[in-house]
Amino acid sequence: MEKPNLDFLFYPKSVAVIGASHVPGKVGNAIMRSITLRYDGKVYAVNVKGGEIEVNGRKFPVYRSIKDVPDEVDVAVIAVPAKFVPDVIDECGEKGVKAAVVISAGFKEAGRADLEEELVRRAKKWGIRVVGPNCLGVTNLENGFDCNFNPPERQARPPFGKVAFMSQSGAFGAAILDWAASHKIGMSKFISLGNMADLDESDFMAYLGDDPKTGVITAYIEGVKDGRKFFNTAKEVTLKKPVVVLKSGRTEAGAKAAASHTGSLAGSYRIYQAAFEQAGVLEAKSMRQLFNYAKALAMQMPAKGNRVAIVTNGGGAGVMMSDGLLERGMKLAELSEETNEKFRRDIEAGKLPEHMSYRNPIDVIGDAPSSRYEIAMRYALEDPNVDVLVVIALFQSPALDEGIVGAMEKMKVYGKPIVFVAPGGDYPHKMARNIELKGIPVYETVEDGVDAVYALVKYGEWLRENGKI
């Protein structure tokens, strides 16, 4: 498998924005604003009109051609009308540019496959790697290199973290970034794939598979460029880190829409399903599920089996969780006699109440303080029959104190994956943030929690089948 080293794209020392503009609302202006916000490399503005541009309190001279820039340029971000792009690529080649991010639309997706082929032909002549065309840009949350043309006040950027995301849809990618930012989900890199005239989803998957800053690879795709390449790449990468894909174009109507959107052939959905299964790719069916999976996999180790224990202070929530887990192919752990004896002994000693249930789901009941949770969680995690622990906390109960945050941190010593569910409003959200700071993923609903457990179990199965755990 060919592995392109794309560090020059994500860690450039210098960037030229071709089509830079001083006019608010113009794409070339928005890119300049995004790129100069946190990136500390050199930024050059290029526009045939020349002049000067002021963005984010900084003034930039505008060069009429990239060839006029006095220094070396690693990456060119191109936002000029499509018909001019091939000639601009030639100028970039003469300048020694290594990568071009082509924001411009009007290629294959608009019936101009000939123009796209010409763009690729010229880029190959110069050895330039191309992202796009017809894309939103790329963002490296680690170093602030961000040529996304949605300005920060319209589309937030998430904090730096372990999840990488690539998207064939720029608009959907923007929504994902915004959503991840509002949910405090840390991301490493974002790639808007566009038409994938050169670099495709498999190239980026291979690169991210070796990227030490990325723990989970996620993607929205309508169709892959080369099925065999995707399959072989995914099969290798998933043995190193999880890959989660949201595939659209699952229906005939959706597939037709995909063809007119990015010019991609969605192909038979059943073939994709089989390929995902055989390559160890986790398929999400919604944006929410994509990040339910990703968050769990980024924050917890894969499960060594599918036996789940539940600790809850709400009986109904425990029943709902049981149903959800069983419907997705997991099992409720049968607690060992030794574990049952621990619970009986503590009940007899008055450390636990007589009216609680410890048969799994372990219902510590509504008046449980954090100390009771801690005992129940310890006994569940010490049980060899338990592979995953789900903790459900209805924080509306006045008995449940903030000591639960410290208790959750203590549970990490057992080396088993833990998923926390905290339904409700402001107070549960506040507690959720504190628990997540301790490295435990928290979910708002039982259904989201089921997704999280499923991802940890399913990815664990794949690694076990291939002798990796």
Side-chain angles (χ1 to χ4, degrees), residues 200-469:
D200 61 24
E201 78 296 315
S202 301
D203 295 318
F204 286 111
M205 196 193 329
Y207 171 75
L208 294 168
D210 288 334
D211 177 24
K213 301 299 164 62
T214 296
V216 183
I217 301 166
T218 62
Y220 164 83
I221 62 169
E222 292 164 1
V224 300
K225 189 172 169 186
D226 178 334
R228 178 57 55 187
K229 179 182 174 185
F230 176 87
F231 180 77
N232 290 337
T233 304
K235 204 166 183 184
E236 190 174 315
V237 171
T238 53
L239 297 179
K240 294 185 277 190
K241 56 189 71 168
V243 176
V244 184
V245 170
L246 173 57
K247 164 82 172 76
S248 68
R250 298 194 292 264
T251 62
E252 192 178 338
K256 283 178 182 172
S260 64
H261 176 212
T262 53
S264 85
L265 293 170
S268 166
Y269 176 52
R270 286 187 179 176
I271 292 172
Y272 277 95
Q273 281 185 301
F276 292 157
E277 186 71 30
Q278 290 171 38
V281 172
L282 277 166
E283 187 193 359
K285 294 291 175 67
S286 69
M287 172 173 150
R288 190 175 185 109
Q289 194 170 71
L290 180 87
F291 274 99
N292 286 343
Y293 288 177
K295 184 160 85 163
L297 291 161
M299 297 179 77
Q300 293 290 286
M301 65 204 73
K304 291 181 178 172
N306 66 352
R307 301 167 301 175
V308 185
I310 302 165
V311 174
T312 179
N313 64 348
V319 173
M320 286 172 63
M321 177 60 73
S322 303
D323 284 344
L325 293 170
L326 294 169
E327 284 165 0
R328 296 286 291 276
M330 287 158 282
K331 294 177 181 172
L332 286 187
E334 196 169 317
L335 301 179
S336 68
E337 187 48 43
E338 185 184 348
T339 300
N340 289 333
E341 180 56 35
K342 288 179 187 175
F343 278 111
R344 278 196 294 268
R345 196 173 59 234
D346 278 5
I347 288 169
E348 285 169 13
K351 287 169 79 176
L352 293 172
E354 287 182 16
H355 51 294
M356 71 167 279
S357 166
Y358 54 88
R359 292 294 177 187
N360 195 23
I362 302 163
D363 187 355
V364 292
I365 62 175
D367 63 355
S370 61
S371 56
R372 193 184 302 166
Y373 261 97
E374 186 170 338
I375 293 168
M377 291 188 297
R378 280 196 189 283
Y379 292 170
L381 288 165
E382 285 167 0
D383 194 312
N385 296 338
V386 172
D387 300 308
V388 186
L389 175 66
V390 174
V391 181
I392 304 172
L394 301 171
F395 280 107
Q396 293 77 11
S397 165
L400 184 51
D401 56 284
E402 298 194 2
I404 190 72
V405 177
M408 294 314 303
E409 187 170 31
K410 291 178 192 172
M411 296 305 117
K412 288 155 67 176
V413 73
Y414 293 100
K416 292 181 181 180
I418 302 170
V419 169
F420 200 100
V421 177
D426 291 345
Y427 185 71
H429 286 167
K430 176 189 149 193
M431 296 304 294
R433 293 286 79 80
N434 292 336
I435 291 167
E436 287 198 333
L437 288 172
K438 303 298 183 185
I440 309 287
V442 184
Y443 295 87
E444 290 178 57
T445 68
V446 166
E447 293 77 15
D448 291 342
V450 170
D451 279 347
V453 177
Y454 175 82
L456 295 167
V457 168
K458 191 77 176 166
Y459 187 56
E461 278 175 8
W462 170 252
L463 293 179
R464 276 201 315 285
E465 284 167 15
N466 288 276
K468 292 294 178 180
I469 57 172

Side-chain angles (χ1 to χ4, degrees), residues 22 125 319 406:
H22 68 278
K125 179 178 82 174
V319 173

